[in-house]
Amino acid sequence: MSYDGVVTSSEQFHRWFAERGRATDYRVKEVPLDRLTGWHTDPDTGNLVHHTGRFYTVEGVQVSVRDGASWSQPIIVQPEIGILGVLVKEFDGVPHLLMQAKMEPGNINTLQLSPTVQATYSNYTRVHQGNPVPYLEHFTDPRRGRPLADALQSEQGSWFLGKRNRNLIVETTEDVPVRDGFCWISRALLDELLAIDNLVNMDARCVLAALPPAAAFAAPGEDSFAGALARSATAPAHTATLLSRFTALKSRRQLTRRRIPLREVAGWHRTADRIVHDGGRYFSVLGVDVEAGDREVPSWSQPLLAPASRGLIALVTRRVDGVLKVLLQARTEAGTFDTMELGPTVQCAPANYPAGGPPRPAFLDEVLGAPAGHIRFDAVHSEEGGRFHHAENRYLVVEADDGFPVDVPEGYLWATLGEVAELVRHAHYLNVEARSVLTCLHSLWTP
């Protein structure tokens, strides 16, 4: 049986997605920071500020941690809590997700597959006096539908100061009219799409980390990666032990930071067009003018953070007594909300660690040198296109062999997928990069 707005195959999806790209003109033009309409540089601080005092600001932050590291940098300050929500409904007994083709000014390919609702507080309260956010009523109180997941989750701690969004998955039994730019797709089809570069956006990947995989578990005795995933998800969870070890790490880590004027950030300077690091590393701050006919407002200007190079997000897995475990890293970043969160095994920009330069992150070389037969997932995905310009990471899931150490350095923790699934349903445990790569790992369940 067919239903309006339900996409049933990869071919049908790509036809629909291509039609959405042709339906609206999108224009993004880089402009100097001092020519951003509606934005200004505060004369006292040098901060970039919107004329309403809402949305976000670009300021400076001074950071120090107990191990002696200290630095300052530009950072996005956006204290509002937005909504990232995915609506779920069964068709012929199969759960489908209501997704949208959404333009973001920083996307490398403009249009990507996004959650049902992806909106900042300023957007959905219509500070910009634009159109209402579609389907918002399913994710605000009094809510229509049954929540499957609901937690405040962090955004990139390296570029946001304590930024969080409310991540929701809500199941509905209502007849939901499908608007232009939206479609229902199954989780199995979404798993296929995750293997395509720059298609499923960051917000969708992070929200869906809390949704169980689509495919039935492989047979427990099956000697395959899917079988090991299944055993990892159903093995006895020792979450209390994992949390105790993580809490011990957090209690020993001291993070001190304070907001400072952007003009006082050391090691950075402002050119005629943007703000850049003196060594050309890390990221820069630039401005864009945007036109998008299908957004809540048809045109606007804004600053974006632009990374200097492509990053790497890698998750190492290893079978222990037939059960797959993932290797997580306890990380503290400039904007981390609660001192420390668990991230993927490797999270860095490899270009920042050239030969003869600073010490390379643990396991970076092992991941980059992994044999092709041990790489279970490999795709390039974009990060938040609403705040970052052409920010891409290579996402890897690597299965290590028996020679990979079970005993790992302090700050690294092995966990089963059952334990990780419990953590991801709560705030301040898994960082945004870990949740994103976890969704990529979940996609490998699909036969």
Side-chain angles (χ1 to χ4, degrees), residues 182-365:
F182 291 79
C183 72
W184 292 102
I185 65 174
S186 68
R187 177 61 191 268
L189 178 54
L190 181 71
D191 288 343
E192 289 185 41
L193 302 179
L194 279 163
I196 301 174
D197 291 354
N198 291 315
L199 178 55
V200 181
N201 83 351
M202 183 206 78
D203 298 295
R205 299 192 308 270
C206 293
V207 174
L208 294 175
L211 189 68
F217 287 152
E222 186 179 339
D223 187 22
S224 66
F225 191 74
L229 281 172
R231 288 187 290 273
S232 183
T234 57
H238 302 287
T239 311
T241 301
L242 177 65
L243 285 177
S244 179
R245 295 178 62 195
F246 176 57
T247 302
L249 289 170
K250 186 185 291 188
S251 67
R252 294 194 292 270
R253 176 64 56 87
Q254 181 176 334
L255 171 65
T256 303
R257 64 185 174 214
R258 61 184 178 90
R259 289 159 67 172
I260 62 174
L262 185 56
R263 66 170 71 255
E264 294 181 10
V265 172
W268 298 72
H269 65 277
R270 184 160 176 170
T271 70
D273 296 331
R274 58 173 68 188
I275 298 167
V276 297
H277 182 258
D278 290 350
R281 299 168 66 192
Y282 307 121
F283 63 90
S284 59
V285 183
L286 55 81
V288 293
D289 284 340
V290 186
E291 295 180 17
D294 60 352
R295 290 291 299 265
E296 290 84 4
V297 292
S299 63
W300 71 93
S301 299
Q302 67 176 99
L304 296 171
L305 269 59
S309 60
R310 177 182 288 178
L312 175 68
I313 305 297
L315 189 65
V316 171
T317 69
R318 188 183 190 277
R319 302 189 201 194
V320 179
D321 297 329
V323 175
L324 199 77
K325 293 194 173 184
V326 298
L327 184 58
L328 302 173
Q329 172 192 177
R331 291 181 59 87
T332 296
E333 296 173 299
T336 303
F337 184 84
D338 192 23
T339 306
M340 179 182 286
E341 291 185 323
L342 291 170
T345 315
V346 177
Q347 177 185 326
C348 71
N352 288 334
Y353 301 93
R360 289 165 73 81
F363 307 115
L364 172 60
D365 293 324

Side-chain angles (χ1 to χ4, degrees), residues 27 176 439:
R27 294 184 178 87
V176 179
T439 295

Side-chain angles (χ1 to χ4, degrees), residues 48-65:
L48 296 174
V49 181
H50 193 260
H51 73 91
T52 62
R54 303 288 295 275
F55 298 105
Y56 60 98
T57 58
V58 181
E59 304 181 19
V61 64
Q62 179 70 46
V63 184
S64 62
V65 292

Side-chain angles (χ1 to χ4, degrees), residues 28-30 105-108 159 274 284 286-288 304-307 383-392:
V28 180
K29 179 184 178 182
E30 187 175 337
N107 286 348
I108 198 164
W159 294 338
R274 58 173 68 188
S284 59
L286 55 81
V288 293
L304 296 171
L305 269 59
E383 302 310 315
E384 173 57 80
R387 297 293 178 266
F388 311 138
H389 186 262
H390 294 183
E392 292 182 308

Side-chain angles (χ1 to χ4, degrees), residues 67-91:
D67 63 10
S70 179
W71 72 96
S72 62
Q73 65 171 83
I75 200 161
I76 295 174
V77 178
Q78 187 176 352
E80 300 177 343
I81 293 176
I83 289 179
L84 305 176
V86 172
L87 199 60
V88 178
K89 179 179 170 67
E90 286 193 2
F91 294 92

